[in-house]
Amino acid sequence: MARQLLLDCDPGLDDALAILLAHGDPNLELVGVTTVGGNVGLETVTKNALELREYLGFPTVPVVAGAAQPLTRAARDAAHVHGQGGLGSVILPSATLPAADGHAVDFIIDTVKARPGTVHLVATGPLTNIALAVEREPALARWVASFTIMGGSYSRGNATPAAEFNIWADPEAARIVFDADWDVTMVGLDLTLQAQANRAVIERFTALGALADELIVPLSTFYFNPNVPDWDGQAVHDVCAVAYVARPDLFQSRPARVDVETQGEFTTGMTVVDFDPAIPNATVPTKLDVPGFWAYVESVYSRVAAAHSA
């Protein structure tokens, strides 16, 4: 039976690639996409999610907009990485179907409550929606089948030397999420930087036809130019979080205690990771089977590309 997956995201180059994987894997059932302001503003990420839904062909899956702002801070984005439109150079046909009514927080709670123990919740953007949901309904932490994020790290940052962007964008939300009564699978930078779409990967993607030309390759090469001689690939961060739900066998993980710094002068948004905790609150993937990961991703993308061409 396919694993039901609810994706909270901020598309975003790698979010779009993660949506493609979640839609295309026959062993996953995408039951909803919720959006949060992050890589770019809420209106734009929601527009991107709606356009991706129609372009990729899953029009009955609800797309629901959520929080535009962090819990207590001014919004910060990553348009310098993802482009002002969020999808780099990709321009998709305008969506004809609207977002669902209501708010992402209510949709997350209602969807998981209706199917306790069966919905795998994945968050690939700032954790604002998730924090609001688990504060409003603490039982959410018991109802999910699993909870996986792309965010954080145990050795480095990318928004700052200490902090990864999704955590840095709303550290107060991240602290609430890690303090809730569940095990958070933290797919952080130390893992995702092992998943580089390098020249060899891009060459294999190119063979997939129109879907690769229009979407996969532009998304995978927008931020790091493959024409630069020392280019070693663009990491597909958010794809790793979806892949973890579908193929946990591709990952080696360790239990950990993760706390989020919210007040440090130089370390706000840092995930402080203890791999020898008395009481763990997280599972942290540390090593990726890189050849197995790309074989899996390419097989799913190939399946979607064939349907897209047809």
Side-chain angles (χ1 to χ4, degrees):
M1 182 178 296
R3 295 184 176 184
Q4 297 181 10
L5 188 147
L6 173 53
L7 181 60
D8 185 68
C9 57
D10 59 339
L13 303 169
D14 48 336
D15 301 82
L17 292 168
I19 289 171
L20 174 59
L21 190 72
H23 158 62
D25 187 340
N27 295 310
L28 296 175
E29 179 190 354
L30 187 59
V31 298
V33 175
T34 54
T35 59
V36 62
N39 287 324
V40 288
L42 180 67
E43 182 178 351
T44 302
V45 299
T46 304
K47 170 181 176 290
N48 291 345
L50 292 170
E51 291 178 353
L52 285 161
R53 177 176 67 174
E54 292 190 40
Y55 175 81
L56 295 173
F58 52 98
T60 62
V61 174
V63 172
V64 190
Q69 303 284 334
L71 295 182
T72 64
R73 298 173 185 258
R76 304 187 256 199
D77 67 34
H80 65 288
V81 173
H82 297 266
Q84 292 300 317
L87 298 182
S89 61
V90 171
I91 300 175
L92 296 174
S94 297
T96 62
L97 301 173
D101 293 337
H103 194 283
V105 170
D106 298 313
F107 180 83
I108 291 167
I109 294 170
D110 293 345
T111 301
V112 175
K113 183 178 181 179
R115 315 174 194 191
T118 64
V119 176
H120 297 265
L121 181 60
V122 177
T124 60
L127 293 170
T128 316
N129 286 338
I130 309 301
L132 291 168
V134 80
E135 280 204 313
R136 184 176 304 173
E137 181 48 87
L140 179 72
R142 301 193 304 272
W143 292 336
V144 296
S146 70
F147 175 50
T148 303
I149 72 166
M150 188 280 123
S153 70
Y154 54 85
S155 69
R156 56 168 297 161
N158 59 0
T160 73
E164 180 276 330
F165 174 79
N166 287 338
I167 307 299
W168 174 79
D170 195 345
E172 285 75 20
R175 173 170 279 193
I176 289 168
V177 166
F178 277 100
D179 286 348
D181 187 23
W182 53 12
D183 183 270
V184 179
T185 298
M186 186 183 86
V187 181
L189 292 177
D190 307 279
L191 186 288
T192 64
L193 288 170
Q194 298 171 45
Q196 301 277 356
N198 58 25
R199 281 193 178 86
V201 170
I202 296 303
E203 287 176 3
R204 294 196 294 273
F205 281 165
T206 301
L208 299 181
L211 183 69
D213 295 340
E214 297 166 4
L215 190 74
I216 300 173
V217 172
L219 291 175
S220 303
T221 58
F222 178 74
Y223 185 58
F224 291 103
N225 186 342
N227 296 317
V228 174
D230 61 353
W231 182 79
D232 60 356
Q234 181 172 304
V236 291
H237 306 284
D238 296 342
V239 178
C240 297
V242 172
Y244 183 88
V245 175
R247 292 288 308 274
D249 58 297
L250 297 173
F251 300 77
Q252 294 181 22
S253 305
R254 297 175 63 185
R257 172 75 196 182
V258 178
D259 292 292
V260 179
E261 177 59 65
T262 59
Q263 299 182 28
E265 181 179 358
F266 303 109
T267 57
T268 294
M270 180 180 181
T271 44
V272 181
V273 180
D274 179 3
F275 282 118
D276 189 24
I279 303 176
N281 67 344
T283 297
V284 180
T286 58
K287 185 173 177 57
L288 179 68
D289 174 356
V290 175
F293 170 82
W294 284 118
Y296 160 64
V297 170
E298 290 164 20
S299 71
V300 175
Y301 286 3
S302 177
R303 182 176 181 271
V304 181
H308 186 78
S309 296

